[in-house]
Amino acid sequence: QGDEQIDEQQAFVLALDAAPDLQSVIQNAGFSIEGIPERVGVKVVTGSDLDALAKHFKDFIQKRPVLVLQARQSFPNGASVSLIWGKGIRTASGIATSLDQTLTWKTRKAFEATMKCERENTHAACIPVTPISLAFTEPIAATLAKQIALIVPDGSRVAPSFSDDDANNPVLSEVTFRGPFKESSQYRIEIPPNLTDDAGRALSNASRFPMTVAIGEFP
């Protein structure tokens, strides 16, 4: 409980103290999702997906009855999510729960990129002698990060600069272009067309690229 980075299609592995009556689970369990007024129903994960999860979490399950649930729709990004193990869920022998049990998480934020630079004020252009960075809300593969480029006014391409630690890291959350830059000019940041995060999600604000970066005068 309490994890704030769950997936939009998260599966939940439940170790139980008795084998459940599946129909009563489907009827009485559900998800309360921030921003969605009605309760969202559950679906029971079966087959090879269930087998893989049961094997992966065998130390947690410890031979107890196990049930894997998902919501019937994707969760929105950055939303509180509660799994309600509802009153009336029965064991296979017919013993029913008398109270709701609620387990709460939060979904991860949308995968976005944000340009950062130092400015003299909020509305000013970037200071030419300071770095320009592109930060991501989730890590991306280093191979993709190295394809990001800063296009200078004459059309040439500048690659990002990486520290020794970053150069050997398989995933990165930020790339940086070192100054100084030509004052009173415009640069562009270009990203590869297949840019995804480490979970395979496409960039949600990809339409903003190539992104124009205004450079101000030297201080």
Side-chain angles (χ1 to χ4, degrees):
Q1 283 197 80
D3 192 317
E4 297 189 352
Q5 290 289 320
I6 69 169
D7 190 89
E8 297 86 344
Q9 288 88 36
Q10 186 72 48
F12 300 86
V13 179
L14 307 178
L16 309 175
D17 55 11
D21 175 80
L22 291 182
Q23 193 57 40
S24 72
V25 172
I26 293 170
Q27 290 174 348
N28 297 292
F31 289 92
S32 173
I33 304 170
E34 182 181 3
I36 299 178
E38 65 276 4
R39 184 184 290 194
V40 174
V42 301
K43 59 182 179 181
V44 179
V45 176
T46 59
S48 59
D49 288 338
L50 172 61
D51 294 340
L53 288 168
K55 181 178 179 181
H56 183 77
F57 290 103
K58 63 180 181 180
D59 291 340
F60 162 69
I61 296 168
Q62 295 183 346
K63 298 182 179 180
R64 292 176 289 181
V66 65
L67 188 64
V68 180
L69 299 180
Q70 281 183 300
R72 291 190 175 273
Q73 69 179 66
S74 297
F75 301 132
N77 294 112
S80 294
V81 172
S82 295
L83 169 58
I84 301 170
W85 185 256
K87 176 182 177 181
I89 293 177
R90 300 186 302 275
T91 66
S93 62
I95 300 173
T97 56
S98 57
L99 297 171
D100 287 350
Q101 180 182 359
T102 302
L103 307 169
T104 302
W105 300 269
K106 192 170 184 177
T107 52
R108 60 190 172 182
K109 296 179 181 178
F111 175 43
E112 294 181 337
T114 305
M115 189 276 292
K116 301 189 298 183
C117 68
E118 289 193 29
R119 310 170 189 266
E120 292 187 353
N121 60 66
T122 305
H123 303 290
C126 298
I127 297 173
V129 295
T130 59
I132 295 170
S133 297
L134 191 65
F136 299 95
T137 54
E138 297 291 339
I140 65 173
T143 53
L144 291 173
K146 292 173 182 177
Q147 297 176 42
I148 298 170
L150 185 69
I151 313 301
V152 303
D154 66 7
S156 57
R157 300 170 67 87
V158 176
S161 300
F162 298 100
S163 66
D164 291 340
D165 289 340
D166 284 346
N168 298 317
N169 197 331
V171 293
L172 298 168
S173 296
E174 185 170 312
V175 297
T176 300
F177 301 94
R178 304 292 180 190
F181 305 105
K182 183 178 180 180
E183 68 175 334
S184 304
S185 63
Q186 287 192 335
Y187 287 64
R188 296 195 323 275
I189 299 177
E190 289 189 353
I191 61 173
N194 58 336
L195 184 63
T196 58
D197 67 5
D198 59 345
R201 297 187 299 168
L203 193 68
S204 63
N205 61 342
S207 61
R208 296 183 61 192
F209 293 87
M211 179 182 285
T212 300
V213 181
I215 305 297
E217 298 180 351
F218 283 109

